[in-house]
Amino acid sequence: MKQRSIATVEEAIALEHAVASSAERALAQVIELHDPADALRTLWEMKFRPIGCDPLNSETPLNLIEQLNQTFTYIASARAVVTLFELHPHLAPFTLNLGNIGGSDIESGLAGELACEVFAAVSTSNNQKLNKDLAKVAATGAEHKYVFFMCPGFNAGRQPKLERVPGVQVWAVGERHER
């Protein structure tokens, strides 16, 4: 199930913990697979064999590279929802569209009130992701518009210097995983 309704901060935190649990399982598989005598073979297995698992269901095998990409986007989404509870608690529950689901990445239970895009990347300019998400959110009719991201070098909080589109706020959700 790649669409989640989050009605409380505790549910958002639980989502992040579930993703972390899948990460632990994948890391155990990588450690088991690792062959110090054949590093290239180990990397081959990591790229092409489903040694990882779905971040939302550790019982579902998944390519490790895909798991990495999804893991940090899902964590960024969970953290974005926590911020949204601080900013707009009256718009809960929030719907997270994780994966390839149409619509905004995060929407409000109140139709038309909120549109958010979320990404995790090495930099905000990587693949023009920030610019594309700003344009996508700006094109919605939502009253409240946000882009949330996770990138190295950004502390959690609003990033006014990155707000290049009027009416769309940009927020970093932090780069570190706290437990």
Side-chain angles (χ1 to χ4, degrees), residues 104-164:
S104 296
D105 291 338
I106 303 174
E107 299 171 335
S108 169
L110 301 174
E113 288 292 316
L114 178 79
C116 302
E117 288 299 309
V118 181
F119 70 94
V122 173
S123 76
T124 57
S125 61
N126 199 32
N127 295 325
Q128 293 294 309
K129 186 65 176 149
L130 178 59
N131 289 337
K132 289 175 185 176
D133 281 357
L134 284 167
K136 183 177 178 182
V137 171
T140 71
E143 182 175 341
H144 305 284
K145 302 176 185 185
Y146 297 91
V147 173
F148 290 93
F149 69 91
M150 178 183 286
C151 288
F154 287 90
N155 292 323
R158 190 168 176 186
Q159 306 294 316
K161 291 181 181 178
L162 298 177
E163 294 178 2
R164 299 186 281 269

Side-chain angles (χ1 to χ4, degrees), residues 14-28 53-59 67 71 75 177 179:
L15 174 63
E16 185 170 345
H17 285 282
V19 172
S21 178
S22 289
E24 290 169 6
R25 181 173 180 161
L27 184 58
C53 56
D54 185 308
L56 299 176
N57 179 358
S58 63
E59 299 302 315
Q67 181 180 357
T71 291
I75 289 172
H177 174 67
R179 290 189 101 179

Side-chain angles (χ1 to χ4, degrees), residues 2-176:
K2 296 291 184 173
Q3 189 175 63
R4 296 280 174 101
S5 178
I6 305 293
T8 65
V9 170
E10 292 75 23
E11 289 177 359
I13 293 167
L15 174 63
E16 185 170 345
H17 285 282
V19 172
S21 178
S22 289
E24 290 169 6
R25 181 173 180 161
L27 184 58
Q29 290 176 325
V30 169
I31 291 168
E32 181 180 311
L33 172 74
H34 176 63
D35 179 358
D38 193 352
L40 191 56
R41 182 68 188 165
T42 301
L43 290 177
W44 171 274
E45 296 290 326
M46 290 169 62
K47 177 154 179 73
F48 295 110
R49 224 177 95 205
I51 65 165
C53 56
D54 185 308
L56 299 176
N57 179 358
S58 63
E59 299 302 315
T60 303
L62 188 65
N63 171 286
L64 186 64
I65 304 304
E66 190 60 33
Q67 181 180 357
L68 282 169
N69 291 336
Q70 291 178 13
T71 291
F72 292 100
T73 299
Y74 295 177
I75 289 172
S77 296
R79 292 180 182 183
V81 167
V82 171
T83 300
L84 291 171
F85 274 109
E86 294 170 6
L87 298 171
H88 305 289
H90 61 286
L91 296 181
F94 298 102
T95 300
L96 277 67
N97 292 314
L98 304 168
N100 294 325
I101 296 176
S104 296
D105 291 338
I106 303 174
E107 299 171 335
S108 169
L110 301 174
E113 288 292 316
L114 178 79
C116 302
E117 288 299 309
V118 181
F119 70 94
V122 173
S123 76
T124 57
S125 61
N126 199 32
N127 295 325
Q128 293 294 309
K129 186 65 176 149
L130 178 59
N131 289 337
K132 289 175 185 176
D133 281 357
L134 284 167
K136 183 177 178 182
V137 171
T140 71
E143 182 175 341
H144 305 284
K145 302 176 185 185
Y146 297 91
V147 173
F148 290 93
F149 69 91
M150 178 183 286
C151 288
F154 287 90
N155 292 323
R158 190 168 176 186
Q159 306 294 316
K161 291 181 181 178
L162 298 177
E163 294 178 2
R164 299 186 281 269
V165 175
V168 181
Q169 290 186 20
V170 177
W171 288 71
V173 293
E175 67 178 79
R176 298 227 184 337

